[in-house]
């Protein structure tokens, strides 16, 4: 318990002061609760010994009144601090996870599912928001009051005090059993929760397929299997805890009955005054109710431990070297020097070298899986090269701070992702300081102003997650407006026109022209008219540069590029994409 508390303090960081205050308030509250017992004892003793006085009653009521006032104040302050800690920790950890993942190599995301990450950011962080501080505080306050009451009762009567000590020993035996039993299942529960989120996301994202094949609660589907597995694990967890919690409650209540019996017996045989006997009975109820309450929260200890470990695992993922210099290049010449790169054990970029002059357009073409997108992602430093170097203005991009490097680059992807927010906020994503006038200007340059103004709320229209409420061309033009707003000197277009319908093609091409004015452009494209006007074309095949030159130069050579241009309608298996 003490180790868990220390680990939790270290985990919550700046909020540990609030946690200590909350624990201290709970201990103070325990003492105040005991003071009420003392007040009752004073009054009973005075009544039963026949020397009750108004002043004595007044003192007792004053003690109880002061205790009640301070308990209310303490409870209110403690609850507020407890709430603040929970929400602060959950919010802070979510932001920390987001900030940390920003600098994690992209290879991590191919190994770790979206569902697992989502579950940690939601379910796991919710454990701290709603349960963690409550568990520690309720356990600590319940145990503290029980220990104080045990010492107090020992002072009154050794036999009854020893029964209380026996109750404490019994309590620790049972919670030890709960901890051991719950260790394995708590981990399985958290793991299953993550997989369930993963399968739910997969199911919702694939809803078109579900509908098109008219799937109806197919019990053999992975989604349904995971729901059933999650149900079994949660049920097993409850079945494990319930008998132990019953043993805890039953044993504690049995010991409370024993104290009642001894108190009455000692009164009957004359070894204990009646007022002490009554106070012992009242104290036993207070003692064991708090001990039982403390025991109820023990089941969450392993859950809390696993939750902390899950978040720590993400926080300890090695990040890319981000401690470079805050470089602002004067020129934007790009060079790849003997670059090698592997996904796990498969080499996908092999000794690639080329130069790109600033304010020129370079097109990368070649068969699918040839390494085109990887080249652009290495330039944006979503991964680091295995060997060789990539330079901007003669400086290795690893010399740049990541944020400084990313300030120089805008990427427009084939699969546009827009957030479930207003169109205006999507356009100025990454540039929140921009004004509405600048947003409108960017939209006009990206040729999306007209369709935006036809929407019911214009720029304040909430679009569905991923841009689901817009057509592909509309979403793509908003992504161009976003890149125009950023106004980075290097533009990467990763198949940005691949899925555009003919109706939107001219508008998108106009948006591209506006975006790429006076920029250094690297594009992956599959439309010939987009490629043939490039200042330089790189033909990439199986991770190697097969040819490099202008459209005219490459057409004079025999090779993949000429074959594609001459036979593009007949070619199967690869495209300029």
């Amino acid at each position: 318990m003490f180790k868990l508390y220390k680990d939790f303090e270290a985990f919550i960081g700046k909020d540990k002061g609030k946690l200590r205050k909350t624990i201290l308030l709970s201990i103070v509250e325990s003492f105040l609760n005991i003071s009420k017992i003392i007040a009752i004892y004073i009054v009973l003793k005075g009544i039963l010994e026949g020397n009750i006085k108004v002043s004595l009653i007044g003192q007792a009521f004053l003690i109880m009144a002061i205790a009640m006032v301070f308990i209310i104040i303490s409870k209110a302050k403690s609850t507020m601090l407890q709430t603040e800690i929970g929400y602060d920790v959950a919010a802070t950890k979510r932001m920390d996870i987001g900030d940390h993942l920003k600098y994690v190599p992209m290879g991590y995301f191919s190994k770790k599912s979206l569902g697992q990450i989502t579950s940690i950011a939601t379910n796991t962080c919710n454990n701290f928001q709603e349960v963690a501080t409550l568990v520690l505080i309720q356990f600590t306050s319940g145990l503290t009051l029980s220990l104080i009451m045990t010492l107090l009762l020992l002072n009154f009567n050794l036999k009854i005090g020893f029964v209380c000590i026996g109750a404490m020993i019994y309590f620790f035996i049972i919670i030890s059993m709960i901890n051991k039993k719950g260790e394995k299942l708590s981990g399985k529960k958290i793991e299953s929760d993550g997989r369930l989120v993963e399968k739910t996301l997969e199911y919702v994202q694939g809803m078109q397929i579900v509908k098109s094949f008219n799937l109806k609660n197919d019990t053999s589907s992975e989604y349904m299997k995971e729901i059933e597995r999650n149900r079994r694990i949660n049920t097993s967890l409850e079945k494990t805890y319930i008998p132990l919690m019953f043993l805890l409650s039953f044993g504690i209540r049995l010991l409370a009955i024993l104290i009642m019996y001894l108190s009455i017996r000692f009164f009957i045989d004359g070894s204990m005054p009646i007022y002490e006997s009554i106070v012992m009975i009242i104290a036993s109820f207070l003692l064991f109710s708090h001990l039982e309450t403390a025991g109820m929260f023990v089941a969450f200890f392993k859950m809390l431990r696993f939750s902390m470990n899950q978040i720590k695992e993400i926080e300890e993922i090695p990040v890319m070297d981000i401690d470079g210099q805050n470089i602002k290049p004067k020129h934007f010449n790009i060079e790849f020097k003997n670059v090698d790169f592997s996904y796990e054990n498969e080499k996908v970029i092999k000794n690639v070298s080329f130069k790109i002059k600033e304010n020129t357009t370079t097109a990368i073409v070649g068969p699918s899986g040839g390494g085109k997108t990887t080249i652009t992602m290495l330039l944006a430093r979503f991964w680091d090269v295995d060997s060789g170097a990539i330079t901007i203005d003669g400086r290795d991009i690893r010399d740049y701070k990541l944020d400084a490097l990313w300030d120089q680059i805008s990427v427009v992807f084939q699969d546009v992702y827009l957030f479930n927010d207003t169109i205006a906020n999507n356009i100025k994503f990454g540039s929140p300081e921009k004004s509405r006038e600048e947003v409108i200007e960017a939209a006009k340059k990206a040729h999306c102003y007209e369709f935006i103004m036809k929407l019911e709320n214009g720029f304040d229209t909430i679009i569905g997650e991923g841009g689901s409420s817009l057509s592909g061309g509309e979403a793509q033009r908003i992504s161009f407006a976003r890149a125009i707003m950023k106004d980075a000197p290097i533009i990467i277009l990763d198949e940005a026109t691949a899925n555009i319908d003919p109706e939107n093609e001219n508008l998108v091409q106009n948006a591209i022209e506006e975006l790429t004015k006076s920029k250094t452009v690297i594009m992956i494209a599959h439309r010939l008219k987009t490629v043939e006007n490039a200042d330089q074309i790189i033909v990439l095949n199986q991770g190697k540069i097969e040819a490099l030159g202008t459209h005219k130069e490459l057409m004079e050579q025999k090779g993949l590029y000429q074959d594609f241009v001459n036979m593009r309608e007949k070619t199967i298996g690869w495209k300029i994409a």
Side-chain angles (χ1 to χ4, degrees):
M1 167 62 196
F2 183 72
K3 187 176 187 309
L4 177 64
Y5 173 80
K6 295 301 292 183
D7 289 345
F8 187 68
E9 263 200 357
F11 181 80
I12 64 176
K14 62 182 179 64
D15 284 313
K16 67 181 179 182
K18 290 181 180 179
L19 179 64
R20 289 175 181 176
K21 285 180 185 177
T22 311
I23 297 291
L24 181 61
L25 285 170
S26 70
I27 292 171
V28 168
E29 191 179 328
S30 297
F31 278 103
L32 290 170
N33 276 311
I34 289 169
S35 70
K36 293 187 292 184
I37 301 292
I38 294 171
I40 293 170
Y41 173 79
I42 292 170
V43 172
L44 282 174
K45 184 178 180 182
I47 292 171
L48 295 171
E49 287 185 347
N51 61 351
I52 188 69
K53 297 178 182 178
V54 175
S55 60
L56 188 65
I57 295 173
Q59 288 174 10
F61 275 104
L62 184 62
I63 291 171
M64 293 190 74
I66 292 171
M68 288 299 297
V69 169
F70 278 99
I71 284 172
I72 291 169
I73 294 171
S74 175
K75 178 69 76 177
K77 183 66 176 175
S78 175
T79 302
M80 183 56 68
L81 285 171
Q82 180 181 311
T83 303
E84 286 177 9
I85 294 167
Y87 283 102
D88 282 354
V89 170
T92 300
K93 290 304 175 183
R94 284 175 178 138
M95 288 188 287
D96 288 348
I97 288 170
D99 288 342
H100 191 81
L101 290 177
K102 180 180 173 184
Y103 301 108
V104 168
M106 292 299 291
Y108 169 78
F109 299 98
S110 62
K111 296 175 184 176
K112 200 78 170 177
S113 75
L114 176 62
Q116 289 172 305
I117 297 170
T118 303
S119 181
I120 291 170
T122 53
N123 295 340
T124 302
C125 286
N126 264 358
N127 289 339
F128 299 102
Q129 183 173 298
E130 299 171 359
V131 176
T133 50
L134 178 65
V135 168
L136 289 171
I137 290 161
Q138 290 293 334
F139 181 83
T140 303
S141 61
L143 189 58
T144 301
L145 189 138
S146 300
L147 288 169
I148 294 169
M149 288 297 298
T150 298
L151 293 173
L152 191 65
L153 294 178
L154 268 170
N155 187 57
F156 273 100
N157 188 283
L158 282 175
K159 291 180 181 178
I160 289 178
F162 284 131
V163 173
C164 294
I165 291 172
M168 298 299 294
I169 293 170
Y170 180 79
F171 170 80
F172 282 111
I173 290 171
I174 297 296
I175 66 168
S176 175
M177 293 169 64
I178 291 172
N179 272 328
K180 287 179 181 177
K181 290 283 186 180
E183 184 167 3
K184 188 175 181 181
L185 283 173
S186 293
K188 283 186 176 181
K189 173 186 163 48
I190 290 176
E191 181 188 353
S192 177
D193 287 345
R195 278 204 299 269
L196 182 57
V197 172
E198 175 189 346
K199 293 302 177 184
T200 302
L201 286 171
E202 190 178 88
Y203 184 80
V204 173
Q205 289 168 347
M207 189 55 68
Q208 284 182 317
I209 302 299
V210 172
K211 288 183 176 182
S212 65
F213 284 90
N214 194 27
L215 297 177
K216 299 177 181 178
N217 294 328
D218 182 4
T219 55
S220 65
S221 72
E222 290 300 315
Y223 178 51
M224 295 302 174
K225 284 179 181 177
E226 196 54 54
I227 290 174
E228 176 58 23
R229 183 173 183 274
N230 188 262
R231 183 195 67 77
R232 287 199 310 269
I233 288 173
N234 279 285
T235 303
S236 296
L237 198 61
E238 293 301 321
K239 285 181 177 179
T240 299
Y241 285 143
I242 287 172
L244 292 171
M245 297 309 298
F246 170 78
L247 278 177
L248 181 65
S249 295
F250 180 77
I252 284 174
R253 291 173 190 275
L254 202 62
L255 289 166
I257 293 169
L258 179 58
I259 289 178
M260 291 172 62
Y261 167 76
L262 290 174
S263 299
I264 295 168
R265 181 179 171 183
F266 294 154
F267 163 68
I268 292 171
D269 66 19
S271 61
M272 180 181 288
I274 189 169
Y275 53 82
E276 283 190 16
S277 179
I278 293 171
V279 168
M280 287 288 180
I281 292 169
I282 295 171
S284 71
F285 280 110
L286 187 63
L287 165 67
F288 292 114
S289 65
H290 280 76
L291 203 57
E292 189 174 4
T293 300
M296 295 294 289
F297 288 94
V298 173
F300 293 98
F301 281 3
K302 287 300 175 184
M303 198 81 68
L304 180 55
R305 171 69 69 189
F306 278 109
S307 296
M308 285 196 293
N309 288 343
Q310 275 198 319
I311 292 176
K312 283 179 182 176
E313 279 180 19
I314 289 185
E315 291 177 334
E316 291 169 1
I317 298 165
V319 296
M320 301 173 74
D321 179 14
I322 62 175
D323 297 325
Q325 300 173 45
N326 195 23
I327 301 169
K328 292 185 178 179
K330 294 180 179 179
H331 300 284
F332 298 93
N333 301 303
I334 299 168
E335 183 175 2
F336 276 60
K337 300 178 181 178
N338 307 113
V339 170
D340 286 327
F341 177 73
S342 302
Y343 288 118
E344 297 182 352
N345 297 321
E346 181 184 358
K347 184 170 281 192
V348 292
I349 300 298
K350 306 164 186 174
N351 196 33
V352 166
S353 298
F354 62 85
K355 295 180 180 180
I356 298 173
K357 293 181 180 179
E358 69 174 335
N359 301 330
T360 64
T361 297
T362 295
I364 305 176
V365 301
S368 295
K372 303 181 298 298
T373 296
T374 303
I375 288 286
T376 60
M377 296 301 100
L378 289 172
L379 173 60
R381 212 180 160 207
F382 291 174
W383 293 283
D384 272 334
V385 300
D386 295 341
S387 61
I390 302 170
T391 65
I392 296 175
D393 195 24
R395 297 290 298 271
D396 193 315
I397 60 173
R398 289 169 291 192
D399 293 340
Y400 289 70
K401 281 187 176 180
L402 272 178
D403 289 337
L405 175 66
W406 290 339
D407 282 342
Q408 314 307 320
I409 299 172
S410 283
V411 184
V412 179
F413 298 97
Q414 175 185 355
D415 298 321
V416 177
Y417 190 88
L418 300 177
F419 295 90
N420 187 20
D421 202 343
T422 64
I423 288 177
N425 285 341
N426 269 283
I427 291 175
K428 65 179 184 179
F429 181 79
S431 309
E433 74 286 352
K434 300 291 185 178
S435 67
R436 176 56 68 97
E437 290 72 25
E438 289 173 297
V439 170
I440 292 171
E441 184 62 26
K444 287 179 177 178
K445 288 180 179 179
H447 298 275
C448 55
Y449 178 79
E450 290 76 13
F451 88 76
I452 291 172
M453 295 309 296
K454 290 178 183 178
L455 299 172
E456 184 178 355
N457 296 311
F459 282 87
D460 294 317
T461 301
I462 302 289
I463 56 180
E465 185 179 347
S468 57
S469 59
L470 302 175
S471 72
E474 290 169 343
Q476 191 64 277
R477 277 179 278 159
I478 287 177
S479 76
F480 281 117
R482 185 160 60 192
I484 289 169
M485 178 70 76
K486 184 178 179 182
D487 195 29
I490 298 172
I491 306 294
I492 295 173
L493 302 176
D494 186 359
E495 302 189 67
T497 62
N499 297 325
I500 302 302
D501 52 84
E503 181 183 347
N504 285 291
E505 186 172 358
N506 288 334
L507 291 172
V508 171
Q509 288 296 339
N510 292 336
I512 290 175
E513 289 174 14
E514 189 64 46
L515 170 64
T516 57
K517 280 180 182 177
S518 302
K519 308 289 186 185
T520 303
V521 182
I522 304 96
M523 65 166 65
I524 299 170
H526 73 286
R527 296 176 189 265
L528 181 57
K529 66 180 181 180
T530 305
V531 175
E532 60 187 1
N533 293 322
D535 298 294
Q536 176 179 233
I537 300 168
I538 297 172
V539 181
L540 201 65
N541 187 19
Q542 296 182 352
K544 296 180 180 179
I545 294 179
E546 186 161 302
L548 188 152
T550 63
H551 172 73
K552 183 179 179 182
E553 290 168 345
L554 293 176
M555 286 300 294
E556 292 173 355
Q557 304 172 17
K558 289 186 177 181
L560 275 175
Y561 187 79
Q562 187 189 72
D563 291 343
F564 167 72
V565 173
N566 292 333
M567 304 176 63
R568 60 187 183 277
E569 293 182 356
K570 297 179 181 178
T571 302
I572 298 173
W574 78 278
K575 60 182 179 179
I576 300 181

